[in-house]
Amino acid sequence: MELLESIRQVDTSSLVDRVEANLVELLQVRKLKVGDSIPTELELSTSLGVSRTVVREALLRLRMMGLIETKKKKGTVITSPDLFAILGKSMNPHILDQETLKEIFEIRLVLEIGMADFLFSHITPEDIKELKEIVENEPETSKDYIFDIDHEIAFHGKLYEITGNQTLKKFQRMLLPVFDFVNNSGLLKKNVTLNKFVSHKGLVDILENGSPELFRNAMRNHLENHFQRIL
C-alpha cells in the first residue's frame, strides 16, 4: 500500500500533445477539406500506436478549437473554425501581459492606415452620408485629442464595414476594448502636442474628394499621437 501511494500518476499530457500535432499534420498531408471525414478513434489509435483514451482527448482539443465536429451518419468531419470566437476568449485586456497589449495596440494602428485602397474600392455616396452624420455628433477635436471610445466605435467601425471585409470588421470589434484599455492604463507615454492633426471630419472629406494615398497620409496624421506615445 505504501509503495502504491509513493508512485506518482503517469503524466500523459505530452503524449496527447504529440497525438494532437500528428492529427493536425494528418489533416494537412491528406489535404482534407471542410466536410471531409477523418478516421475513427479506433483507426487512429491503431495507426498511431496509442490508446483510444489518448486519441479521444486529442480529438476533444481539435473539437474545442472548432476544427472538427461529429455528424450523424458521417462520423467526425472537418469544419471551418470560427477564429474570432476562439481568439475572443483570450482577448481580455486584464489577463494579457503589457507587451502583448502594446503589440495589439500597434496592430490596430497598422490596420487603420492599411485599409485605404479597400475603402475607396467599396465606398458609396450613402456611406459618405452616414459618415457625415456620425461626425456631426462628435465634439470639436484638437491636435492633442486622443479619442472617445463611443465615437471611435461609431466612426472607425463604419470604416471597417465599408471595406467589405467581414473578418476585418470582427477583428476590429475585438481590438477596440484593448485599444481603450491600453490608452487609459498608463502603459503609454503621456500625451504629446502635435503640429499636424486630421480629425474624423477631415478624413470624411478626403474619402469624398481625395485618393487612397491622401487618405493613408491623413490617417497617419490622425493617429500620430498614438504613434508618438507608443514608439
Side-chain angles (χ1 to χ4, degrees):
M1 186 64 179
E2 291 181 0
L3 177 60
L4 290 176
E5 290 177 349
S6 67
I7 297 176
R8 289 186 299 178
Q9 192 172 23
V10 176
D11 180 8
T12 61
S13 60
S14 60
L15 180 57
V16 175
D17 290 340
R18 291 199 297 272
V19 171
E20 179 189 352
N22 286 339
L23 291 176
V24 172
E25 184 179 356
L26 173 69
L27 306 184
Q28 296 171 338
V29 170
R30 292 195 178 184
K31 298 181 180 179
L32 297 178
K33 304 181 297 295
V34 172
D36 288 345
S37 298
I38 69 171
T40 65
E41 281 185 12
L42 179 59
E43 291 170 333
L44 291 170
S45 175
T46 302
S47 175
L48 296 170
V50 297
S51 70
R52 292 184 66 175
T53 300
V54 171
V55 170
R56 190 174 299 119
E57 186 172 342
L59 289 174
L60 178 60
R61 292 184 182 183
L62 299 187
R63 189 171 287 107
M64 292 176 65
M65 288 189 288
L67 292 174
I68 61 174
E69 66 179 358
T70 301
K71 290 193 173 183
K72 290 182 179 180
K73 299 182 180 180
K74 289 198 69 174
T76 303
V77 300
I78 304 297
T79 59
S80 179
D82 185 343
L83 298 178
F84 293 101
I86 299 169
L87 186 58
K89 294 176 182 178
S90 58
M91 192 69 83
N92 182 338
H94 298 283
I95 62 174
L96 298 173
D97 62 49
Q98 292 191 0
E99 188 59 32
T100 301
L101 286 169
K102 290 180 70 174
E103 289 180 355
I104 292 173
F105 190 95
E106 292 170 1
I107 288 173
R108 165 106 194 280
L109 299 180
V110 172
L111 291 177
E112 297 287 320
I113 296 171
M115 65 168 62
D117 290 282
F118 298 103
L119 286 171
F120 277 83
S121 294
H122 294 88
I123 199 163
T124 66
E126 289 74 21
D127 292 324
I128 293 292
K129 180 180 178 182
E130 186 172 340
L131 285 170
K132 286 182 177 180
E133 290 173 353
I134 291 172
V135 299
E136 277 300 316
N137 296 321
E138 294 183 356
E140 289 297 322
T141 55
S142 61
K143 57 189 176 181
D144 58 354
Y145 173 75
I146 298 300
F147 78 102
D148 175 88
I149 187 64
D150 292 331
H151 298 150
E152 196 78 355
I153 291 173
F155 182 81
H156 291 267
K158 180 59 181 178
L159 294 186
Y160 280 85
E161 179 185 315
I162 293 171
T163 66
N165 188 315
Q166 293 304 310
T167 299
L168 192 60
K169 187 176 178 181
K170 289 179 183 178
F171 195 40
Q172 184 253 0
R173 287 174 181 169
M174 294 176 56
L175 291 179
L176 273 174
V178 175
F179 198 72
D180 187 39
F181 178 85
V182 172
N183 181 62
N184 295 305
S185 66
L187 293 178
L188 306 180
K189 302 172 187 176
K190 293 183 179 179
N191 296 359
V192 294
T193 300
L194 305 174
N195 295 322
K196 295 181 179 180
F197 176 77
V198 178
S199 66
H200 284 165
K201 290 182 180 180
L203 292 175
V204 174
D205 182 63
I206 292 173
L207 283 170
E208 184 176 21
N209 305 298
S211 66
E213 184 62 30
L214 284 174
F215 184 84
R216 272 189 291 273
N217 292 332
M219 180 61 81
R220 179 62 176 79
N221 288 333
H222 175 69
L223 300 171
E224 177 63 19
N225 203 320
H226 298 311
F227 277 99
Q228 290 288 342
R229 297 170 71 212
I230 204 166
L231 295 177

